[in-house]
Amino acid sequence: MSKAVTALNRAAYDGYVRIEDAGLCGMISLRGDLSDAKVKKACKDASGQAMPKARGIVGSLDGGIGWMSPDEALVLVPYAEAPAAAARMEMTLKTAHALVVEVSDARAVFTLRGEKLREVLAKVTPADIAALPVGELHRTRVAQVAGAIWLSDETTAHLICFRSVAEYMFELLSRSAMPGAEVS
């Protein structure tokens, strides 16, 4: 059996903001009625977190839930646990109108660290990053690709995109964070 690796094998770039491949992250996409008690239970059992409010994200990359749309949540679990967690969620939801898909290997996750991370992100997305509150998940375009961005604190942001565009995203973010490329 082959060993799981990220698209960029933990690549990192140190500019005026640090850009890094966050490593293997377990991700489960759930489509259904997010207010349904069974859906909430399945998500909490898998992640250890309660369902967030609209546009919110709670927890961390190895145990969290992100609100993706009125009928979609992204459940974050440790990578090795994702297949079993998805199977347990399916069992919990077998009588509910819901879809559970383990998407860990289809996504890439980046972590940005630094005082000026909002500036780096603002260069590459039309989203109002200056107004993005900590703990809010924002789906947007990042240059030419789809992405989801959230801040876990004022100096740490996370960005999820499709694995197929991970190298493009890493280069885009790295160039945006190059010393001398500051906007001020």
Side-chain angles (χ1 to χ4, degrees):
M1 178 176 267
S2 61
K3 182 181 178 195
V5 295
T6 65
L8 299 174
N9 203 22
R10 299 303 305 253
Y13 174 77
D14 285 310
Y16 71 92
V17 169
R18 180 172 173 80
I19 312 297
E20 58 190 357
D21 172 352
L24 295 171
C25 298
M27 291 178 257
I28 302 164
S29 178
L30 178 135
R31 299 297 299 248
D33 179 355
L34 301 186
S35 66
D36 182 275
K38 284 184 181 181
V39 169
K40 288 180 178 182
K41 177 179 177 13
C43 291
K44 184 168 186 161
D45 288 351
S47 69
Q49 302 291 327
M51 187 67 69
K53 63 181 180 171
R55 296 181 310 278
I57 187 161
V58 293
S60 65
L61 290 176
D62 57 355
I65 305 173
W67 185 96
M68 301 297 281
S69 74
D71 69 346
E72 182 181 5
L74 182 66
V75 179
L76 304 167
V77 298
Y79 179 82
E81 297 174 21
R88 286 192 309 274
M89 289 175 73
E90 285 179 337
M91 287 301 295
T92 300
L93 297 169
K94 65 183 174 189
T95 61
H97 181 71
L99 174 66
V100 175
V101 180
E102 198 255 317
V103 297
S104 309
D105 293 327
R107 306 285 189 268
V109 182
F110 295 95
T111 300
L112 291 77
R113 296 182 199 285
E115 296 291 327
K116 295 186 176 183
L117 66 84
R118 288 180 188 264
E119 177 182 303
V120 169
L121 290 168
K123 290 180 191 179
V124 297
T125 180
D128 187 358
I129 297 298
L132 183 67
V134 170
E136 182 171 303
L137 179 65
H138 191 83
R139 292 174 82 165
T140 186
R141 305 294 297 170
V142 182
Q144 300 299 313
V145 300
I149 301 167
W150 75 95
L151 279 71
S152 53
D153 60 54
E154 284 298 328
T155 60
T156 309
H158 305 282
L159 186 149
I160 296 175
C161 66
F162 289 108
R163 181 184 179 111
S164 60
V165 296
E167 186 174 357
Y168 168 78
M169 185 66 70
F170 181 74
E171 290 298 322
L172 177 71
L173 294 170
S174 296
R175 288 183 188 277
S176 205
M178 287 174 61
E182 296 90 346
V183 173
S184 59

